[in-house]
């Protein structure tokens, strides 16, 4: 049986607003206004860029949100790109039930409810035609949620709360970015809901899980903090990885031919899926430059996006170099790139035994090989390897 390509799990953005003392609501039945008109507009822009918006049942019961793209120009721009006007609206529910009268079901966009199998029947009876209800197995497993959304073509997921759902995804290591608007007042009530409250699983505490500050923006009297996170499913090869490796292989064909060195392509891609830089061997007429080195040289070493980036290299990064002070594996390590994907291991031809993978793994990076693409990466070097 031929192997199906894995559907790519979506990138995950948590968007939330909190008070200075970390509360996302107060304890009263009315919804606490934490955001401003300007900030709502920013969030509306994020919604418009997402394929799906997800909230928990607690938020639906407390706030009864519509989760629509409000700006007609943004809806029109989505439609011009061939997308539905509103992203898919996803609710995560447990056993507490959901009313068929919620505004979410009455408003625009496709609706999907994901719940543990045991809750599915009850939810279908309550919601009838208002939303599709799908089981995620015995538990509400966030990885299964992402796989289910991936199978429906969701590439960018925005999570809009509430606290339990934030914690569910954060503790599972499945979040790429947090955008947190901080409002300049205190709630001062221990009973009020808080941002990412302690949950069933602990938050990752190791150094690799320290967030990267991506930006801080002042919006009136609010501050919007943006953090990049390292996903713990980084060890999963996705179809996106295969696509980027093919781009790196195409790049390797642009290398000036050499009888004494390999032709390699390298692409550095940020956690949001946006390319940061690319390079190839002997680029720009420098017959000593390596692909990874050339790509890295195009970025500021302090660029915070590097810490959550992936580098794709058609060949294992070198661990020894005569012509430069640092081999590529060392350059990748010092740039803080934690995820390295390669297609082909260096054959012992110019260097006795390349230790690039070992060096990177010892430094804590996740190194993945795509052996299925090794032959493609090798073609351009076939005159060197007998
Ligand atoms: N300021 C903001 O940015 C913001 C954004 C959104 C929400 N909020 C606030 O957040 C509060 C709601 O947060 P919340 O934590 O109560 O609710 P929530 O995170 O929206 O939803 C939690 C619900 O999801 C289900 N669930 C979560 N984990 C589960 C698991 N492991 N297994 C099975 N089901 C699970 C349960 O549904 P069942 O109850 O059906 O079992 C649970 O009650 C509200 O006060 C709202 O105003 C604030
Ligand atoms: Zn190198």
């Amino acid at each position: 049986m031929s192997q199906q390509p894995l559907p790519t799990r979506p990138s995950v953005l948590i968007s939330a607003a909190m008070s200075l003392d970390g509360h996302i609501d107060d304890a009263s039945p009315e919804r606490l206004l934490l955001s401003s008109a300007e900030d709502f507009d920013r969030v509306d822009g994020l919604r418009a860029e997402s394929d799906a918006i997800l909230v928990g049942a607690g938020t639906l019961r407390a706030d009864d949100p519509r989760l629509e793209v409000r700006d007609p120009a943004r809806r029109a721009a989505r439609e011009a790109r061939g997308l539905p006007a509103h992203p898919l609206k996803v609710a995560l529910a447990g056993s507490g039930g959901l009313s068929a009268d919620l505004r979410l079901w009455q408003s625009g966009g496709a609706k999907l409810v994901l719940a543990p199998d045991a809750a599915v029947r009850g939810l279908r009876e309550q919601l009838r035609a208002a939303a599709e209800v799908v089981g995620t197995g015995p538990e509400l497993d966030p990885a299964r949620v992402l796989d289910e959304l991936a199978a429906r073509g969701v590439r960018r997921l925005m999570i809009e709360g509430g606290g339990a759902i934030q914690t569910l995804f954060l503790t599972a290591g499945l979040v790429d970015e947090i955008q947190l608007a901080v409002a300049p007042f205190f709630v001062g009530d221990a009973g009020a809901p808080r941002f990412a409250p302690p949950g069933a699983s602990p938050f990752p505490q190791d150094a690799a899980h320290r967030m990267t500050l991506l930006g801080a923006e002042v919006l009136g009297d609010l501050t919007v903090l943006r953090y990049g996170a390292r996903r713990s499913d980084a060890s999963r090869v996705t179809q996106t990885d295969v696509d980027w490796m093919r781009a790196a292989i195409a790049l390797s064909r642009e290398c000036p031919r050499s009888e004494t060195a390999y032709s390699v392509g390298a692409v550095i891609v940020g956690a949001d899926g946006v390319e940061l830089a690319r390079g190839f061997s002997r680029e720009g007429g420098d017959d000593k430059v390596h692909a990874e080195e050339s790509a890295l040289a195009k970025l500021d070493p302090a660029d915070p996006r590097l810490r959550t980036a992936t580098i794709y290299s058609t060949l294992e990064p070198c661990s020894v170099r005569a012509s430069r002070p640092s081999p590529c594996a060392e350059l990748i390590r010092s740039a803080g790139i934690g995820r390295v994907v390669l297609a082909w291991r260096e054959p012992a031809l110019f260097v006795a035994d390349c230790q690039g993978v070992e060096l990177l793994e010892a430094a804590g990076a996740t190194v993945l090989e795509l052996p299925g693409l090794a032959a493609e990466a090798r073609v351009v070097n076939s005159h060197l390897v007998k």
Side-chain angles (χ1 to χ4, degrees):
M1 219 174 87
S2 78
Q3 217 183 335
Q4 291 292 314
L6 292 164
T8 305
R9 281 186 184 164
S11 69
V12 177
L13 165 71
I14 288 184
S15 166
M18 70 173 197
S19 65
L20 271 181
D21 52 346
H23 292 288
I24 58 173
D25 195 3
D26 59 20
S28 79
E30 285 83 46
R31 182 177 186 175
L32 174 69
L33 194 66
L34 285 149
S35 206
S36 59
E38 203 180 0
D39 189 53
F40 273 130
D41 186 60
R42 177 188 65 84
V43 171
D44 196 55
L46 294 176
R47 284 183 183 173
E49 287 165 20
S50 304
D51 300 311
I53 305 172
L54 181 152
V55 293
T59 298
L60 289 179
R61 291 177 203 127
D63 300 343
D64 197 7
R66 287 188 175 82
L67 303 178
E68 292 185 310
V69 176
R70 293 181 200 198
D71 178 5
R74 291 191 178 113
R75 292 201 297 269
R78 284 179 58 91
E79 287 180 319
R81 282 158 57 210
L83 299 172
H86 302 284
L88 170 68
K89 303 197 278 197
V90 184
L92 296 194
S95 53
L98 284 173
S99 160
D101 297 329
L102 292 169
R103 286 198 277 241
L104 192 77
W105 322 127
Q106 325 298 337
S107 51
K111 295 103 188 168
L112 173 66
V113 178
L114 297 174
D117 288 346
V120 167
R121 207 174 132 197
L123 285 162
R124 281 188 186 145
E125 277 167 14
Q126 278 184 304
L127 297 173
R128 308 217 166 249
E132 185 185 352
V133 183
V134 172
T136 60
E139 309 274 342
L140 192 62
D141 174 353
R144 291 271 307 256
V145 168
L146 295 188
D147 288 335
E148 177 65 37
L149 296 178
R152 289 164 189 256
V154 173
R155 303 297 284 259
R156 292 170 75 109
L157 171 67
M158 176 179 180
I159 297 181
E160 289 206 44
I165 297 303
Q166 292 156 352
T167 299
L168 186 66
F169 281 86
L170 285 166
T171 55
L174 293 174
V175 177
D176 298 283
E177 186 177 337
I178 300 172
Q179 295 204 13
L180 191 58
V182 182
F185 58 83
F186 296 86
V187 168
D189 181 343
R194 39 170 308 138
F195 178 69
S201 312
F203 281 81
Q205 298 294 349
D206 54 308
H209 281 92
R210 195 179 161 93
M211 305 261 145
T212 304
L213 183 64
L214 299 178
E217 186 191 354
V218 175
L219 271 189
D221 64 357
L222 299 183
T223 314
V224 181
L225 300 171
R226 291 182 49 219
Y227 293 98
R230 178 163 293 176
R231 280 174 70 151
S232 64
D233 60 351
S235 59
R236 191 169 170 277
V237 174
T238 67
Q239 188 60 40
T240 309
D241 293 323
V242 172
D243 295 344
W244 280 117
M245 185 57 78
R246 288 233 159 85
I249 291 170
L251 199 55
S252 71
R253 306 212 166 100
E254 306 201 4
C255 302
R257 191 184 159 95
S258 166
E259 298 305 323
T260 53
Y262 292 113
S263 291
V264 180
V267 186
I268 304 170
V269 180
D272 57 359
V274 174
E275 177 176 331
L276 303 179
R278 53 172 61 198
F280 55 87
S281 313
R282 301 177 291 287
E283 187 175 4
D286 176 350
D287 67 0
K288 295 276 184 280
V289 79
H290 285 187
E292 306 94 307
E293 178 189 17
S294 181
L296 281 165
K298 292 168 189 162
L299 294 167
D300 177 350
D303 190 326
R305 296 174 301 177
L306 284 167
R307 291 203 40 199
T308 53
T310 295
I311 186 165
Y312 297 90
S313 180
T314 57
L315 181 67
E316 176 179 9
C318 61
S319 58
V320 186
R321 274 189 86 173
S323 58
R324 293 281 205 270
S326 302
C328 291
E330 175 56 30
L331 295 175
I332 292 167
R333 191 206 59 78
S334 57
I337 297 179
R339 189 166 184 270
V340 183
V341 183
L342 56 103
W344 188 37
R345 289 253 195 169
E346 181 166 351
L349 185 64
F350 303 126
V351 172
D353 183 16
C354 179
Q355 303 274 325
V357 169
E358 290 82 353
L359 202 151
L360 285 160
E361 283 181 339
T366 300
V367 183
L368 298 161
E369 275 185 73
L370 300 177
L373 294 185
E376 269 177 64
R378 189 176 174 277
V379 171
V380 71
N381 296 296
S382 52
H383 62 293
L384 299 173
V385 200
K386 295 292 167 277

